[in-house]
Amino acid sequence: MQEQKLQELLQSLSMTEKIAQLVQVPGPMLEAEGQELGVRNELGISEEILRNVGSTLNVVGAEQIRRVQKNYLENSTHKIPLLFMADIIYGFRTVSPIPLALGCTFEPELLEKLCRATAEESVAAGAHVTFAPMADLVRDARWGRCLESPGEDPYMNGRYTAAMVKGFQEGLRETGAHRGLASCVKHYAAYGAPEGGRDYNTVDMSERRLRQEYLPAYKAGVEAGCEMIMTSFNTVDGIPSTGNGWLLNDILREEWGFDGVIITDYAAIAELVNHGVAENEKEAARMAMEAGVDIDMCTGCYAGHLEELIAEGSLSEEQLDRAVMRVLRLKNRLGLFEDPFRGADAAMEDRVTATEEKRSLVR
């Protein structure tokens, strides 16, 4: 779809339909089977939002994704396809060693091949976006997510991150190719440096150390062309990443030129209240939108409060439109407007999954 057509599509949407594009819900809310990480009734999402919601997560398998997409489009006013996202971190069906072990290879090119193979399986199974690679530098073995990081060296982490982004996304922008998985680099920023190794905790360091040691791997992912960035749960200099305009707008967008989609980690906008920086979910929604967050993962913050915030002048519709366009552009780059099922093929899934070639590569 041409950019002009995307703009016309954006202008045809009601305020509620625009907001819905920025809301991600668990698969069971769309009658998908599988893991549900949140409590469905707590999200407080209206039926209109749910009919026009922009994305879902942890729905896997070609047949199920085709069924969910078909049912969704039948009930959607503007027929804007869903984005299907998942944590596909070190293999889909053909499982690789954990990223910490992969880092021991000192072969970024090998990681690129592995991610290319993972993308082939994932696309055939219907996935559009992977929440990977994790680019977090880790130097405290007490932190529970060390296994997801390739290591403790900024230079090597940057090399690995770039290689994985390239591997996942190879062929993504080839028209009609049904190749490539959009890569979401996470967790921005400095998620692996919490005090005492305690997850979600405070990160407190000088700007020089942050820029010299912790930010380079994320930047390498951006320079490699990643389509998405995920915010981290932790604070940086007292401000949670999900509400941190300095990290998201000043550095990520202005300094590094990132023009893709920013998504939160699971329920991170609502957790701005837990951090004590937002009085309630309405204030949390305002902070996240002002900081530059596009997609609210599995809370009712955007769904329940953006329209009110715009009506009272706390946010502008221009801010909303910019976020929605970034989501629409990603769907367009994936070719979903031409083929909303984009490569989801059960027969192909069987043919390309756990082949001897892939198993040999993993070994």
Side-chain angles (χ1 to χ4, degrees):
M1 185 182 292
Q2 297 296 319
E3 178 75 10
Q4 180 60 36
K5 291 293 184 182
L6 283 180
Q7 292 288 349
E8 291 172 6
L9 175 60
L10 175 68
Q11 296 309 314
S12 73
L13 302 179
S14 69
M15 179 81 72
T16 302
E17 289 165 343
K18 289 178 182 178
I19 292 168
Q21 286 298 307
L22 309 185
V23 176
Q24 182 168 99
V25 298
M29 291 190 72
L30 299 169
E31 299 183 357
E33 298 172 358
Q35 183 181 25
E36 182 174 2
L37 299 179
V39 180
R40 177 173 174 174
N41 293 333
E42 286 185 356
L43 297 187
I45 292 175
S46 70
E47 285 297 321
E48 187 177 3
I49 289 283
L50 193 58
R51 280 198 307 273
N52 295 280
V53 75
S55 60
T56 187
L57 77 167
N58 294 337
V59 181
V60 295
E63 290 184 353
Q64 179 163 215
I65 282 178
R66 291 185 74 91
R67 176 179 62 79
V68 172
Q69 185 78 283
K70 180 176 181 292
N71 291 342
Y72 170 82
L73 289 172
E74 286 175 353
N75 294 300
S76 170
T77 306
H78 293 274
K79 313 303 180 190
I80 302 173
L82 276 167
L83 278 171
F84 291 88
M85 309 188 192
D87 278 299
I88 305 169
I89 299 172
Y90 46 98
F92 184 63
R93 300 297 186 204
T94 310
V95 181
S96 306
I98 62 173
L100 189 61
L102 292 173
C104 298
T105 65
F106 291 92
E107 286 190 69
E109 296 80 8
L110 178 58
L111 269 70
E112 185 173 342
K113 290 179 184 177
L114 284 168
C115 291
R116 193 180 305 135
T118 296
E120 184 180 40
E121 287 188 352
S122 304
V123 170
H128 301 145
V129 176
T130 174
F131 299 130
M134 188 176 103
D136 304 320
L137 183 74
V138 183
R139 289 178 173 169
D140 188 338
R142 294 173 294 182
W143 191 50
R145 299 188 69 164
C146 292
L147 67 94
E148 291 184 60
S149 169
E152 57 185 354
D153 181 79
Y155 173 72
M156 288 305 297
N157 276 14
R159 291 285 307 277
Y160 293 140
T161 297
M164 293 176 76
V165 169
K166 291 174 183 176
F168 283 132
Q169 295 192 172
E170 184 175 292
L172 178 71
R173 300 197 182 194
E174 294 177 13
T175 304
H178 295 155
R179 295 176 60 226
L181 190 62
S183 172
C184 178
V185 172
K186 64 184 187 184
H187 307 82
Y188 183 78
Y191 189 43
E195 291 184 351
R198 293 187 294 273
D199 207 16
Y200 293 38
N201 202 11
T202 299
V203 170
D204 193 8
M205 65 177 69
S206 67
E207 183 178 344
R208 175 176 177 174
R209 188 179 183 207
L210 180 69
R211 287 182 176 273
Q212 185 166 299
E213 299 177 21
Y214 288 88
L215 294 187
Y218 308 112
K219 186 180 182 184
V222 170
E223 291 174 345
C226 70
E227 296 287 352
M228 296 180 67
I229 292 284
M230 178 185 287
T231 65
S232 57
F233 287 120
N234 56 279
T235 65
V236 174
D237 198 20
I239 305 172
S241 298
T242 302
N244 196 321
W246 177 68
L247 280 176
L248 302 182
N249 282 322
D250 296 357
I251 295 179
L252 182 59
R253 292 212 187 276
E254 296 300 323
E255 287 188 29
W256 298 354
F258 179 68
D259 63 355
V261 174
I262 297 175
I263 189 171
T264 72
D265 207 335
Y266 201 98
I269 295 181
E271 290 189 7
L272 294 176
V273 180
N274 299 345
H275 275 290
V277 299
E279 181 179 2
N280 49 44
E281 290 193 353
K282 177 181 175 182
E283 178 68 8
R286 183 194 63 77
M287 288 184 64
M289 178 58 70
E290 282 191 340
V293 170
D294 299 315
I295 297 179
D296 177 3
M297 183 193 288
C298 299
T299 83
C301 294
Y302 275 9
H305 301 291
L306 282 188
E307 190 160 357
E308 180 184 359
L309 287 163
I310 291 169
E312 69 187 26
S314 298
L315 294 172
S316 69
E317 191 164 359
E318 287 73 22
Q319 288 173 296
L320 175 65
D321 286 354
R322 285 196 294 271
V324 176
M325 273 303 294
R326 285 191 281 263
V327 174
L328 294 179
R329 287 187 183 117
L330 175 57
K331 293 182 178 187
N332 193 42
R333 281 195 287 272
L334 286 162
L336 294 178
F337 291 105
E338 288 72 33
D339 180 5
F341 303 106
R342 190 186 185 263
D345 183 320
M348 179 63 72
E349 186 179 4
D350 287 340
R351 284 199 298 274
V352 302
T353 296
T355 62
E356 188 54 42
E357 181 183 11
K358 289 187 177 70
R359 291 154 72 95
S360 181
L361 176 63
V362 166
R363 291 191 188 101

